[in-house]
Amino acid sequence: MNNLDLFRMGFKNLWRRKLRTFLTVLGVIIGASSIIVMLSLGFGMSQAFEDQIAQWGSLTTVNVHKSWEAPLPGKKEMALDDKAVKTFKSLDNVVAVSPTLQTYGSIINGRYVASGSIRGIDPDSMEDFGFEVAEGRLLNNRDSLTVVFGGQMQYNFYEPKARTYREPKINLMKDRMTLTLDPNYGWSGPGQNNANYKEYKIKVAGVLTEGNWETNYGIYMPLEDLQNLIKEKEKSENQKPEKGKKGKGYDQINVKVNDMKNVQEVQKTIKDMGYEAYSLNDELESMKKQAAVIQAVLGGIGAVSLLVAAIGITNTMVMSIYERTKEIGIMKVIGASLKDIKRLFLFESALIGLTGGIFGVGFSYLISLIINKFSATFGQAMGSGSTKISIIPIWLVLAAMVFSALIGIVSGYFPARRAMNLSALEAIKTE
């Protein structure tokens, strides 16, 4: 019996029992679609976690701080200085390193004031760290007293002398701006505590895109400029220079890794040196573990449906043997081999499984579309984004069809062996 004869005979046998075949295939459809949809919810949850954390900052950046614990006896505290920057740049999978200083100050725009975090950064590293501008450009190493504003900085301005709040009309790129490191400017005046804080006319190079919580309200300027401003601030306050503010030490060093898969390795290496290293991947990994547990539970629920479908295939094939016992006997008498009989029944059960898997995939896409449509509508009503909560990767589609066919073959194996072992003479005598 060649493969074409096998296909014709198997298809004909299933077609003769259309209702039973349809109900068995329906069971596989329900089982396959249950697993696909349940797993897709888990994938959607993982992607939602990743999208949410990506809004907090870059997933490929490691933030390095000094160790929070006192150094062990006989060991020096690891400094965040130029030597550390050079060491981090030499690590494998590191594409950029930027030391960072941070202080607080105010931006003055006429009668409006905005207080915020002023961050000194290496201008040449901004592009490597994923900074994107909505207007203007990023900083470069030729800039002096020039800033780049966070994407939502314009909403941070207010009028200190106004009795009621009115939304200011600010054009960050065109308005004249002044910078002061007076932390209380607008509340008590720049001369409080006998300190005479300087005010600096600044230029605005650009405004970053919105959507990143880490940069939305930040004010970025060249690192060297901020070091000089901090020194002048300390002089005006008659303070001794703070440790780590002399141009050799930094508040933080940011390390850019080439791929998310390598972040954990780079982070561990830096920690082993004695530094405190943190990345958003720590949060992401924790969330993904929770999603994996939920996904396993959902997948298990779907697997129960497919198990019931497998029992249905077995039942269908066993009933088919009882109904076709005489036919099996005749096939043996006219010369059909035991292998051909076994192949015939396995083909029929595999065809049931594969057909159910194919239609199950189509049904899964329909359910996923409805779920995402509903979630998008609900998300817009709640004022949130329209992130898909059901994601079906292509490998899951292929795996579901192969697995459904495999379930059919396994379910039909014992009925096929039973058909193969039937006595030809007794089978012919059966009514």
Side-chain angles (χ1 to χ4, degrees):
M1 183 185 298
N2 59 38
N3 293 331
L4 184 59
D5 292 335
L6 182 71
F7 177 81
R8 287 175 177 172
M9 187 175 294
F11 186 81
K12 182 179 179 182
N13 290 332
L14 293 176
W15 187 254
R16 280 189 303 176
R17 300 166 180 84
K18 291 187 286 290
L19 181 59
R20 184 189 300 166
T21 300
F22 169 74
L23 293 176
T24 308
V25 170
L26 182 61
V28 179
I29 292 174
I30 294 173
S33 60
S34 296
I35 286 185
I36 294 173
V37 171
M38 293 297 185
L39 292 178
S40 76
L41 293 175
F43 293 132
M45 191 180 303
S46 296
Q47 185 62 49
F49 286 153
E50 189 169 326
D51 292 343
Q52 180 184 359
I53 291 179
Q55 292 181 347
W56 301 351
S58 172
L59 291 170
T60 55
T61 299
V62 179
N63 307 120
V64 185
H65 306 267
K66 291 180 181 178
S67 177
W68 297 327
E69 299 179 358
L72 296 174
K75 289 191 175 182
K76 294 182 179 180
E77 182 180 11
M78 302 300 292
L80 292 179
D81 52 17
D82 293 331
K83 183 179 178 181
V85 172
K86 187 177 180 180
T87 301
F88 298 155
K89 284 183 178 180
S90 67
L91 296 178
D92 292 336
N93 301 313
V94 170
V95 295
V97 177
S98 174
T100 303
L101 282 179
Q102 180 169 302
T103 188
Y104 291 89
S106 300
I107 301 294
I108 307 163
N109 182 355
R111 65 178 184 274
Y112 299 113
V113 177
S115 300
S117 170
I118 303 172
R119 302 166 191 171
I121 191 171
D122 179 7
D124 292 335
S125 70
M126 293 191 76
E127 188 173 348
D128 290 326
F129 278 90
F131 288 89
E132 296 180 359
V133 289
E135 295 181 78
R137 60 170 175 84
L138 296 174
L139 297 172
N140 60 54
N141 55 16
R142 298 182 301 275
D143 285 326
S144 177
L145 289 179
T146 304
V147 302
V148 167
F149 285 118
Q152 295 185 356
M153 190 63 192
Q154 61 181 338
Y155 307 118
N156 213 21
F157 283 86
Y158 68 99
E159 189 175 355
K161 296 181 180 179
R163 295 183 179 180
T164 58
Y165 174 77
R166 280 179 284 182
E167 184 175 349
K169 295 181 179 179
I170 302 293
N171 189 322
L172 295 177
M173 292 297 298
K174 294 182 179 179
D175 292 349
R176 293 181 179 180
M177 304 280 185
T178 303
L179 167 68
T180 177
L181 297 191
D182 179 4
N184 297 307
Y185 184 89
W187 291 96
S188 305
Q192 66 163 2
N193 297 329
N194 298 319
N196 185 20
Y197 294 98
K198 291 185 179 181
E199 296 180 8
Y200 307 90
K201 293 181 179 180
I202 58 173
K203 294 175 285 186
V204 180
V207 179
L208 300 177
T209 54
E210 297 184 24
N212 189 320
W213 297 352
E214 186 179 16
T215 63
N216 273 341
Y217 295 98
I219 304 165
Y220 295 88
M221 68 186 308
L223 179 63
E224 188 174 346
D225 278 358
L226 186 58
Q227 288 173 332
N228 294 330
L229 296 188
I230 290 174
K231 288 179 182 178
E232 293 185 9
K233 174 189 174 183
E234 290 165 348
K235 288 179 181 178
S236 67
E237 294 176 343
N238 296 318
Q239 292 183 9
K240 292 182 179 180
E242 295 179 39
K243 187 179 180 181
K245 303 288 186 178
K246 299 179 181 180
K248 297 182 180 179
Y250 307 105
D251 293 323
Q252 177 178 305
I253 297 178
N254 297 326
V255 178
K256 185 71 173 179
V257 183
N258 58 2
D259 195 284
M260 221 166 70
K261 297 181 293 185
N262 300 320
V263 170
Q264 293 292 332
E265 180 185 348
V266 172
Q267 185 176 345
K268 183 179 182 302
T269 301
I270 293 174
K271 282 186 175 180
D272 292 341
M273 294 178 185
Y275 297 97
E276 201 66 44
Y278 168 79
S279 73
L280 288 175
N281 267 271
D282 297 338
E283 301 292 337
L284 182 60
E285 289 301 318
S286 175
M287 288 184 172
K288 281 190 172 182
K289 286 179 182 178
Q290 297 177 19
V293 172
I294 296 173
Q295 192 174 44
V297 173
L298 294 175
I301 295 172
V304 172
S305 301
L306 198 56
L307 176 62
V308 173
I311 295 173
I313 295 174
T314 304
N315 179 64
T316 297
M317 299 312 298
V318 169
M319 291 300 296
S320 179
I321 290 172
Y322 282 122
E323 293 175 354
R324 296 158 58 189
T325 301
K326 189 171 183 179
E327 178 184 329
I328 294 170
I330 293 173
M331 289 172 63
K332 287 186 174 183
V333 169
I334 63 176
S337 67
L338 297 179
K339 182 180 177 181
D340 285 339
I341 294 173
K342 183 179 179 181
R343 286 174 60 206
L344 175 63
F345 279 87
L346 287 178
F347 172 75
E348 291 179 14
S349 60
L351 188 60
I352 290 174
L354 180 60
T355 304
I358 293 172
F359 281 97
V361 167
F363 189 53
S364 300
Y365 272 111
L366 178 61
I367 295 175
S368 179
L369 181 65
I370 294 172
I371 291 174
N372 288 329
K373 184 77 173 177
F374 176 78
S375 67
T377 303
F378 180 76
Q380 290 172 2
M382 297 297 292
S384 60
S386 56
T387 303
K388 291 182 179 179
I389 62 174
S390 174
I391 298 175
I392 304 177
I394 188 65
W395 67 262
L396 181 59
V397 170
L398 299 175
M401 290 190 289
V402 172
F403 188 63
S404 297
L406 186 62
I407 287 291
I409 293 173
V410 172
S411 302
Y413 178 75
F414 289 105
R417 281 183 60 86
R418 180 181 176 86
M420 184 177 66
N421 293 329
L422 282 176
S423 169
L425 293 177
E426 291 184 7
I428 292 174
K429 293 177 182 178
T430 301
E431 293 295 333

